[in-house]
Amino acid sequence: MIDKTALFKISYGLYLLSATDNDKDNACIVDAFMQVTATEPAICALSVNKQNFTHDLIFKTGKFNVSVLTVETPYQVFERFGLQSGKYVDKFAGFTENIERSKNGLIYLKEHTNAFMSFEVLDCVDFDTHTVFKAKITESSILSIGECVTYDYYRKHIKASVGGAAKGWVCNVCGYVHNGVDLPSSYKCPVCTVDATNFTKLS
């Protein structure tokens, strides 16, 4: 037996991943990001779901930015960038005061983040549902002294503060919470696309 909720015990940070192509900016919330070497320049690895529009932009252009989110990040930021697709909406509409552009022309957050980093992709590895991008850092800056937010903190404090974690169904794969008493058998997670059998009812 495999209890997928055991994966929730792995400590993740939460980041805003941004990319652009032909003046189309997009961003999404990711957690699978890490430094893998201490060489100069540093090499990092980033895993992105192929269903994400940001994935396609990175795959095409070979560059991306990462904004390191803090515990002060409001739920609305996660809602805007994590619970809707850039294929259908402009995620930055009405959000222009909180953003800046780095030297590579990509957006990063100025608030609710303690650092940003720009990357150039060196290689890609296919992992069925995800692509892992090997990338070198090209620019970085400290923006604040705010404490980094983890996935665990987000679920226990930020999402819970709006009542989203108190009822409904939680995705055992990515942690997305579907509000409502019933979960249709045909339902698919809007974040990671798994079916209803991968959801657990919250009390």
Side-chain angles (χ1 to χ4, degrees), residues 46-59:
L46 168 74
S47 178
V48 188
N49 192 314
K50 293 178 181 178
Q51 297 290 330
N52 291 346
F53 182 53
T54 309
H55 168 278
D56 297 342
L57 298 182
I58 296 172
F59 201 87

Side-chain angles (χ1 to χ4, degrees), residues 89-118:
V89 300
D90 179 0
K91 293 189 181 183
F92 288 102
F95 199 75
T96 56
E97 294 183 2
N98 190 24
I99 59 176
E100 193 65 75
R101 290 191 185 273
S102 53
K103 293 178 181 178
N104 63 4
L106 304 186
I107 283 174
Y108 67 89
L109 292 188
K110 296 189 298 181
E111 298 178 3
H112 315 307
T113 182
N114 56 28
F116 90 88
M117 292 160 271
S118 298

